[in-house]
Amino acid sequence: MGITRFAQNDLARLSYELSPADHPDVDPALIPAVALLHATLADRASLGPLRDTLLDQVTLVQPDARGHGGSAALTDRSFTVTDMANDLYTVLEAAGLLGNDSPPVHLIGHGQGAIAALELARRRPDLLASLILIEPDAPSLLDGELDPQLVLAREEARMAGRQAADAAYKGLTDAALAGYLDRRWGADWRTRLSKPRLAAVRRHAGALAASLDALDRYHLLPDELRAIAVPTLVIVAAESPAAERAIARRLADTMPAAALRAVTSLPGGAPFTGNGEVAIALVVDWLNEHA
């Protein structure tokens, strides 16, 4: 098992798990370093099947995003995607993965985690070996879209996020969760989650106000996307909502070193279980290719 540690970014206490690769005869500089970044309302445990697959192959760091897991709570909406990227940088630095002798880091982000990874790649591409962006979640990445169906999908996602954020800000937990998750996971998500995962989702509901507001206000111009030359794999599911599928295509079509892969399903709350296990093979193949 990895070691749970804490890093400090200004007043925010950030929890993360560090799992050093157990290869004593191999130069540490030759062992890939990978950060796994969970989605909104999840925590590092939600990526367990992927973690278990990679554990013996790489040095692995898994942060809990602010307001999730063991990290500090989010108490208002004064939070941005830049803050998410800064939190990630702080954890990577605290984990000893940004030293002069450290190899570049592979970032694997799901949902909100994908957007944090994208922003760090925009600001510090020199630190990174590659990106894997899974169901990236930021409706503003579809701004400028002219296709009426995609405009409708973007606005539905944006409105659902804003209503969920407002409900969370008012302490209306059930309304906030329904507003955000019914669109993303289907209205029956409560019956499909295990009791521990459902309890974790409810614990993290308070983070929706600040996190969704930050994702709503995030903007990257096409020229900024074209300037991100880090090798990138974008993964989306056929069952993902229309907005997330469109965002994935937009990133793959715009970023110069990006490829798009589709799987059947990324089950809500446990994306690498069931049919989502197919995505694990895509991740492993990508890391082997870009090690």
Side-chain angles (χ1 to χ4, degrees), residues 114-191:
I115 301 304
L118 182 66
E119 176 62 8
L120 187 60
R122 182 184 73 84
R123 298 171 58 215
R124 292 299 306 271
D126 56 300
L127 302 176
L128 306 182
S130 76
L131 297 173
I132 300 180
L133 309 178
I134 303 168
E135 290 187 309
D137 182 12
S140 62
L141 291 174
L142 295 177
D143 286 350
E145 180 59 62
L146 299 179
D147 183 300
Q149 289 186 327
L150 296 185
V151 171
L152 178 61
R154 180 196 67 202
E155 291 309 304
E156 287 178 346
R158 179 170 280 158
M159 183 58 63
R162 288 176 178 176
Q163 290 175 347
D166 188 59
Y169 183 72
K170 294 174 180 175
L172 304 175
T173 298
D174 289 332
L177 293 177
Y180 183 60
L181 293 181
D182 284 6
R183 184 190 70 84
R184 287 186 58 84
W185 296 354
D188 64 340
W189 58 268
R190 294 173 186 82
T191 64

Side-chain angles (χ1 to χ4, degrees), residues 163-229:
Q163 290 175 347
D166 188 59
Y169 183 72
K170 294 174 180 175
L172 304 175
T173 298
D174 289 332
L177 293 177
Y180 183 60
L181 293 181
D182 284 6
R183 184 190 70 84
R184 287 186 58 84
W185 296 354
D188 64 340
W189 58 268
R190 294 173 186 82
T191 64
R192 289 186 284 104
L193 293 187
S194 67
K195 288 184 178 179
R197 180 53 49 198
L198 184 60
V201 165
R202 291 189 65 85
R203 283 198 307 273
H204 302 143
L208 282 176
S211 294
L212 295 183
D213 186 59
L215 294 170
D216 187 30
R217 291 185 287 111
Y218 182 60
H219 291 283
L220 276 184
L221 297 174
D223 284 348
E224 292 176 303
L225 280 176
R226 282 189 283 267
I228 302 175

